[in-house]
Amino acid sequence: MRFFSYIRNMSLRLRLGTTCVRAGRSVIRVLAWIPVLFVAIVLVWGYYVYVYVMNISVFFIACAHVIFALQLTSYLRTIFTTHKPIPEQFKLTEAQLDRLDDMDDDQTLLKQLAQDLPVKQCSRSGNVRYCDGCDLLKPDRTHHCSMCNRCVLKMDHHCPWVNNCVGWSNYKFFVLFLFYTVVLCVWVATTGAWDFIKAWHGTVKDHSSDKFNVIFCMIVCSLFGLSSLSLLVFHTYLSLFNKTTLENMQPPRVAQGVDRRLYFLGFKENLREVFGSNFLLAMLPVATSLGDGVTYKTRSISGHVEMGVVTTGGQSSAESDADATETQPLTSQVQV
């Protein structure tokens, strides 16, 4: 009887523990929307101050609406774009998983499976890049995000301000959001400068609340503009050199060694991969990025583009960069 009572108590404890874990995850998912809610409140409040409190001409307000629409659309698409799933060919079957569990050296099987896949990158130890959480071989430039609990194609980083990972599916929208945020902040600061001067000297409609709103709006606008500008400069650099934030921290490694410029195709081609070939569409929050997010062109020293490991005269470009200093390990949110 004591044995069965012990089993029953253990079962109840496991159920309680599982319930607590699920509740904790639900709370975390809700709390993750707080930064997004904060950004939304700032945008709505700033819109109210600029349109209804400041004495701005109709033409300037109309131009601000166009910029604001592009910024808001880019922001929403960054948040709600669903990342492209990893192709089924990279996922292990149940039989393959059983074989993997029975093997002492799992790399033997993983290397056999990787031979039939378009994979060039390997881990820092030279092994096949495999995700235990998703049970799949990672495509090139793919990483696992512990916040989203999934592997993301061409993962750049997990951004709390959009409550989403920034990767191949929404990277263009993220960069456009930064760009139009900077443009909007500059526009508001420029066209609202005279109202700011009047508010500073206490002559805005003789209302203390209006004075506070105008002054505080310009301060917030400046802070948002400067922070967005710093991020825009950094991601412009990444786009020009065809890197991600993770690759900038830890350069990609192929069989021959580390290659810091493995995906560099030239500035124009690098930008085309992110924004597409049409300049007008490139500046709009519509999907125009080139490729499929799974396979990527790599460079050669001679300037020709190849699909596969980069080689030049029997020596890989990775070998030429193999003596580069290793970067620090990535954060705990990402598995290499």
Side-chain angles (χ1 to χ4, degrees):
M1 293 295 293
R2 290 182 178 178
F3 175 75
F4 290 110
S5 177
Y6 174 77
I7 295 298
R8 186 165 52 253
N9 290 335
M10 288 297 295
S11 177
L12 290 174
R13 290 178 181 177
L14 288 175
R15 291 179 183 178
L16 180 61
T18 303
T19 303
C20 290
V21 170
R22 291 177 179 175
R25 289 177 178 175
S26 299
V27 171
I28 292 175
R29 282 196 292 268
V30 172
L31 293 178
W33 286 101
I34 291 179
V36 178
L37 179 62
F38 172 75
V39 173
I41 291 174
V42 171
L43 290 177
V44 172
W45 168 75
Y47 178 87
Y48 162 76
V49 174
Y50 185 78
V51 176
Y52 295 102
V53 177
M54 293 184 180
N55 186 23
I56 307 297
S57 70
V58 176
F59 173 76
F60 288 159
I61 291 179
C63 293
H65 274 83
V66 174
I67 303 172
F68 180 70
L70 291 170
Q71 181 220 31
L72 183 61
T73 305
S74 301
Y75 185 55
L76 293 176
R77 295 215 64 178
T78 305
I79 296 173
F80 295 110
T81 294
T82 301
H83 289 280
K84 180 180 178 180
I86 307 297
E88 291 294 326
Q89 65 188 105
F90 289 88
K91 300 178 182 179
L92 272 64
T93 63
E94 291 295 332
Q96 291 170 339
L97 289 173
D98 291 338
R99 287 180 57 193
L100 197 64
D101 292 336
D102 296 336
M103 298 181 68
D104 295 330
D105 183 14
D106 55 4
Q107 282 296 311
T108 302
L109 176 60
L110 294 178
K111 288 179 179 179
Q112 293 177 358
L113 299 175
Q115 289 178 353
D116 300 325
L117 297 173
V119 175
K120 299 182 289 294
Q121 285 186 230
C122 57
S123 67
R124 282 174 287 180
S125 58
N127 294 327
V128 176
R129 300 170 69 244
Y130 175 73
C131 179
D132 294 312
C134 300
D135 295 328
L136 54 81
L137 298 175
K138 295 180 183 179
D140 291 339
R141 315 186 84 173
T142 298
H143 297 275
H144 184 89
C145 177
S146 61
M147 297 295 293
C148 298
N149 194 30
R150 60 171 297 174
C151 283
V152 179
L153 294 173
K154 197 184 178 183
M155 179 178 173
D156 187 88
H157 69 288
H158 183 90
C159 181
W161 299 106
V162 301
N163 191 26
N164 195 3
C165 270
V166 177
W168 181 81
S169 300
N170 63 348
Y171 185 71
K172 175 192 173 182
F173 307 138
F174 176 74
V175 176
L176 287 181
F177 165 65
L178 295 176
F179 173 76
Y180 287 118
T181 298
V182 172
V183 173
L184 184 63
C185 289
V186 172
W187 184 264
V188 171
T190 303
T191 58
W194 181 242
D195 286 84
F196 174 75
I197 295 173
K198 291 192 297 182
W200 189 261
H201 289 87
T203 60
V204 176
K205 297 183 181 180
D206 298 327
H207 292 296
S208 59
S209 61
D210 292 338
K211 175 182 177 180
F212 169 81
N213 279 322
V214 171
I215 294 176
F216 195 59
C217 179
M218 297 299 284
I219 294 175
V220 172
C221 180
S222 300
L223 294 176
F224 264 65
L226 290 174
S227 60
S228 298
L229 178 61
S230 63
L231 287 173
L232 178 62
V233 170
F234 176 64
H235 284 280
T236 300
Y237 156 76
L238 294 179
S239 300
L240 285 171
F241 287 90
N242 206 342
K243 295 181 179 181
T244 64
T245 299
L246 297 178
E247 291 168 353
N248 192 58
M249 297 168 59
Q250 182 69 52
R253 178 185 292 273
V254 291
Q256 290 82 0
V258 173
D259 191 341
R260 295 180 180 275
R261 302 179 68 186
L262 178 63
Y263 300 107
F264 183 84
L265 310 175
F267 296 138
K268 182 178 179 180
E269 289 299 317
N270 293 342
L271 291 177
R272 286 180 70 249
E273 280 206 355
V274 177
F275 298 100
S277 303
N278 190 309
F279 176 77
L280 295 179
L281 293 180
M283 301 307 295
L284 296 177
V286 294
T288 56
S289 299
L290 303 182
D292 57 6
V294 178
T295 57
Y296 297 91
K297 297 176 181 179
T298 54
R299 72 181 180 106
S300 64
I301 302 301
S302 61
H304 299 293
V305 176
E306 302 173 344
M307 292 297 295
V309 178
V310 181
T311 58
T312 303
Q315 181 182 14
S316 70
S317 62
E319 289 175 337
S320 64
D321 292 330
D323 57 347
T325 304
E326 290 291 336
T327 58
Q328 296 297 320
L330 299 178
T331 61
S332 58
Q333 292 184 0
V334 181
Q335 297 177 1
V336 179

